[in-house]
Amino acid sequence: MSKVEQDKQKDSSLDSAVSVAPSEQSADNGTGSDKAALFSAWRRTLAASRMLQVLGVVLVAQLVLAGGLYWNAGRDGNVVVAEQLLAFDDSKADRLQITSVDKALELTRTEGVWRLEGDQQLPADGEKVDRLLSQLAGLKAGLPVATSTSAREQLDVAEDDFQRHVTIQQGDEVLADLYVGTSPGYQRAHVRRAGQDAIVSAKLNVYDLPDTVDGWMDRMLLSFDEVFRIQTEDFTLVKVDEHWKIEAPEARVSGHQVATEPMEKLLDTLQGLRVTGLVTEQDDEGAVSAIDESEADDGAAEEINVIAWTITDKEGEPLTLTLTEQGNDVTVERSDRAQTFKVAVSVFNALNDVDLDVLLPATEKNEVAEGADGASSATENPDGAASSTEEGPADESAVRTMSAE
């Protein structure tokens, strides 16, 4: 007989015993009803205990099943079980190589400064490089989406078929080697660590890994840190005791005060000068073709406007900044660099709109100075003293002198 059947027999026996002698229960002054209540409570406790036993068995079975799955996954060498896919020290990296199907570039760090290697030798955007290295060092990967050789080609992470191949080194030591392929979703890419079969989905974008110089060069490489002198064909400005003075033309030097607001805008343009790209030989060929087509259509070449300013910064070395406008394109050169860069049309307009009338607007002080300049000019040139000039009215004493003569 089973334990359950024995329990049921005990329960029925107790029920029989309770029901056999109702007279005895009433004779015990209510003690029988108390025994029945206690017995009912005992039965409920027994039922609850059985339920707990069943739940315990189910929990143990689940734990055993989960442990078995984890053990089987750990036995497969192709499965990436670590949270970090690459896990290298990005502070030690001093060389970054990014290769696509038809392009390749290399960045190196010397004395904390990142540069683009090659013929151009341009400074790179160090913050952008460090940001990428930090992202790659902390790249997390889940379970693999594929491991087969055919899947590598399909997802563009094969050794000879990829969207990006990224290699990070410290000297000759390779810190990380990664293939980046197609995107399975927003801000994610299929990646495969070199030497492994597992292809995983990681939080990475291919456009975070540009394969062009424009994508990595420092866009502020032509900007000026602190300007002390500005010289153009029309005027010269110099900073004296934290104030800007007009140095030329001589007629405007004495008594003329440079306006604060246009001067600040001018300095913001020079100190915030940002290039948009590097002009390549291919760009030059395209520009020549565009000119030829324009000449064929209109019978004349597009008008070319040039601005040349010489700027002296805190280093004390005068640098000539030359901007050329042709149609909707503006290029810029600086005398200390051999390359030509692209720049926004707004930069050309900001400098081209600056003249003496903007820098020296009509104020009471400047008007008095203009009058004094006119009087001086009349004294030096009596032939023109009798007529009014743009700088002020004719000097009356000069008119009387000429009449007496």
Side-chain angles (χ1 to χ4, degrees):
M1 181 182 297
S2 65
K3 183 178 180 181
V4 175
E5 292 176 347
Q6 292 177 357
D7 292 340
K8 287 182 178 180
Q9 185 174 2
K10 291 179 182 179
D11 293 343
S12 60
S13 301
L14 290 173
D15 291 338
S16 300
V18 172
S19 59
V20 167
S23 58
E24 293 179 5
Q25 292 179 6
S26 58
D28 292 336
N29 297 325
T31 58
S33 61
D34 293 340
K35 290 181 179 179
L38 290 174
F39 176 72
S40 177
W42 174 80
R43 292 185 63 185
R44 288 195 296 271
T45 302
L46 181 62
S49 176
R50 290 172 181 169
M51 180 61 68
L52 289 176
Q53 291 176 357
V54 173
L55 292 176
V57 171
V58 172
L59 177 61
V60 171
Q62 288 179 337
L63 293 174
V64 171
L65 178 61
L69 292 175
Y70 180 82
W71 181 76
N72 288 332
R75 292 179 61 191
D76 189 352
N78 291 325
V79 176
V80 181
V81 295
E83 278 193 356
Q84 290 181 312
L85 179 64
L86 301 174
F88 65 95
D89 187 352
D90 55 293
S91 65
K92 294 182 178 179
D94 57 18
R95 187 179 298 273
L96 171 64
Q97 295 174 317
I98 300 176
T99 308
S100 61
V101 175
D102 56 353
K103 297 178 183 178
L105 62 82
E106 182 175 351
L107 300 102
T108 59
R109 177 163 58 182
T110 305
E111 296 181 355
V113 178
W114 284 98
R115 299 187 66 84
L116 283 154
E117 291 298 316
D119 297 335
Q120 302 297 343
Q121 285 290 312
L122 294 171
D125 186 343
E127 292 184 2
K128 184 174 182 178
V129 178
D130 291 339
R131 196 161 53 243
L132 174 65
L133 292 174
S134 177
Q135 181 182 4
L136 293 175
L139 203 62
K140 295 182 180 180
L143 295 175
V145 298
T147 58
S148 65
T149 303
S150 59
R152 298 185 194 180
E153 298 177 354
Q154 183 180 358
L155 300 179
D156 292 347
V157 290
E159 286 84 352
D160 55 353
D161 186 8
F162 51 81
Q163 294 194 16
R164 295 291 188 274
H165 181 200
V166 183
T167 306
I168 302 167
Q169 297 177 230
Q170 181 187 13
D172 296 330
E173 179 186 357
V174 177
L175 301 178
D177 195 346
L178 186 71
Y179 293 96
V180 183
T182 58
S183 173
Y186 178 65
Q187 292 187 344
R188 300 196 73 82
H190 288 121
V191 299
R192 182 178 68 86
R193 187 172 179 176
Q196 290 189 348
D197 295 332
I199 303 170
V200 301
S201 171
K203 189 175 181 180
L204 186 66
N205 294 305
V206 172
Y207 60 75
D208 290 331
L209 303 162
D211 57 354
T212 62
V213 172
D214 287 356
W216 291 105
M217 73 174 180
D218 183 3
R219 300 300 179 93
M220 303 294 290
L221 79 171
L222 297 186
S223 63
F224 296 88
D225 293 333
E226 191 172 354
V227 179
F228 284 94
R229 193 171 187 271
I230 302 172
Q231 182 179 358
T232 73
E233 293 181 355
D234 300 324
F235 60 85
T236 301
L237 298 170
V238 62
K239 190 175 184 180
V240 180
D241 298 331
E242 302 302 320
H243 296 286
W244 283 94
K245 306 291 184 182
I246 185 80
E247 192 175 73
E250 294 183 359
R252 299 288 188 99
V253 173
S254 177
H256 289 80
Q257 184 174 355
V258 178
T260 302
E261 184 175 350
M263 192 66 214
E264 288 179 349
K265 291 182 178 179
L266 173 58
L267 294 175
D268 288 342
T269 301
L270 295 174
Q271 294 171 350
L273 182 59
R274 182 181 178 86
V275 301
T276 58
L278 176 69
V279 177
T280 62
E281 294 180 359
Q282 185 176 358
D283 294 327
D284 290 337
E285 292 174 358
V288 171
S289 300
I291 293 175
D292 292 341
E293 292 177 1
S294 176
E295 289 177 346
D297 295 340
D298 303 335
E302 260 183 342
E303 182 181 358
I304 299 177
N305 300 312
V306 179
I307 298 174
W309 285 24
T310 300
I311 314 297
T312 304
D313 63 5
K314 65 179 182 180
E315 302 296 333
E317 179 184 358
L319 299 173
T320 300
L321 198 67
T322 305
L323 289 90
T324 303
E325 179 192 45
Q326 183 174 343
N328 295 324
D329 298 324
V330 178
T331 59
V332 59
E333 299 176 347
R334 208 172 75 174
S335 55
D336 62 333
R337 294 194 177 276
Q339 302 88 354
T340 302
F341 302 90
K342 303 172 187 177
V343 71
V345 177
S346 58
V347 176
F348 182 91
N349 294 335
L351 298 181
N352 192 44
D353 291 342
V354 175
D355 56 23
L356 286 176
D357 291 335
V358 173
L359 294 172
L360 306 173
T363 62
E364 182 177 350
K365 183 175 182 179
N366 289 349
E367 286 175 353
V368 172
E370 292 286 356
D373 293 340
S376 174
S377 176
T379 303
E380 295 176 358
N381 185 14
D383 292 338
S387 61
S388 298
T389 66
E390 293 181 358
E391 295 180 357
D395 186 89
E396 293 183 359
S397 61
V399 174
R400 287 196 297 269
T401 302
M402 291 181 65
S403 301
E405 292 178 353

